[in-house]
Amino acid sequence: MGFDVIISNRQLNKKRMQSRGFTLIEVAASLLAFSVVVVIFASSILMAERSAHMNGQYAQALSLCQHKIDQARSVGFGQLDADSLLGAEIVDSVISSDVYSFASAGNDNVASYLSDPTAIMSIEKPYDGDTSKALVTATVTWHPTAYRNKTNTVTLAAIITNFD
């Protein structure tokens, strides 16, 4: 009977060793690995949010440039002058000969979309030596965030022709 008790105690001790669980080192290592994964995931979410905001700003600036070029097309080749552009509220001021600002022209309040913007439209008429062509270029420049000195710029150009 004593021999049976020794075998049972050995089996009992073996079962206890197998069912003890994780050691402190194993738990610490798994917590460290989990923490690293959480930090990487959190930083990627922040970066994705910042990238989405920046992409939205670029899309908005590109849309504004396209809108201004479409408005210039709508007045027609013969009306691409300061008086016509100001009268149609396509531009809000004349910077110099054939260079105009459209930062707050008409319903396009560029400052409500972008931080500290500069919005300029230039018209080169005649273009490339051809008196029936005009090159219209719209440029929007802005600061992506208030705490950076960096500026972003979107420029879009189109040739408007005279078919008369």
Side-chain angles (χ1 to χ4, degrees):
M1 203 182 259
F3 185 67
D4 289 337
V5 173
I6 293 173
I7 291 176
S8 327
N9 283 339
R10 282 187 184 166
Q11 289 174 346
L12 185 60
N13 285 337
K14 190 174 183 181
K15 284 183 182 181
R16 282 185 193 158
M17 293 285 281
Q18 290 174 350
S19 66
R20 278 190 175 175
F22 299 108
T23 66
L24 182 60
I25 293 173
E26 291 171 331
V27 170
S30 64
L31 282 175
L32 178 67
F34 180 73
S35 299
V36 167
V37 168
V38 167
V39 167
I40 290 171
F41 181 71
S43 65
S44 69
I45 287 176
L46 291 174
M47 189 174 289
E49 189 261 335
R50 196 174 307 145
S51 296
H53 181 70
M54 187 170 45
N55 287 338
Q57 288 180 332
Y58 273 106
Q60 188 64 49
L62 187 62
S63 176
L64 287 166
C65 289
Q66 182 64 50
H67 179 65
K68 285 301 158 185
I69 288 175
D70 289 343
Q71 285 180 327
R73 274 194 192 110
S74 71
V75 297
F77 179 83
Q79 302 297 316
L80 291 177
D81 55 47
D83 292 334
S84 299
L85 295 173
L86 286 167
E89 295 184 351
I90 295 172
V91 298
D92 54 18
S93 65
V94 178
I95 296 174
S96 65
S97 176
D98 297 329
V99 178
Y100 312 95
S101 171
F102 65 89
S104 60
N107 294 329
D108 299 323
N109 187 2
V110 180
S112 67
Y113 305 113
L114 303 170
S115 174
D116 193 22
T118 303
I120 296 172
M121 175 188 285
S122 65
I123 299 175
E124 185 181 335
K125 186 177 176 184
Y127 174 66
D128 202 22
D130 190 344
T131 57
S132 65
K133 291 181 184 177
L135 177 67
V136 178
T137 304
T139 301
V140 176
T141 302
W142 74 98
H143 295 281
T145 56
Y147 60 89
R148 290 189 184 166
N149 291 329
K150 180 182 176 188
T151 59
N152 291 338
T153 301
V154 170
T155 300
L156 196 61
I159 297 174
I160 299 176
T161 59
N162 185 13
F163 289 111
D164 293 335

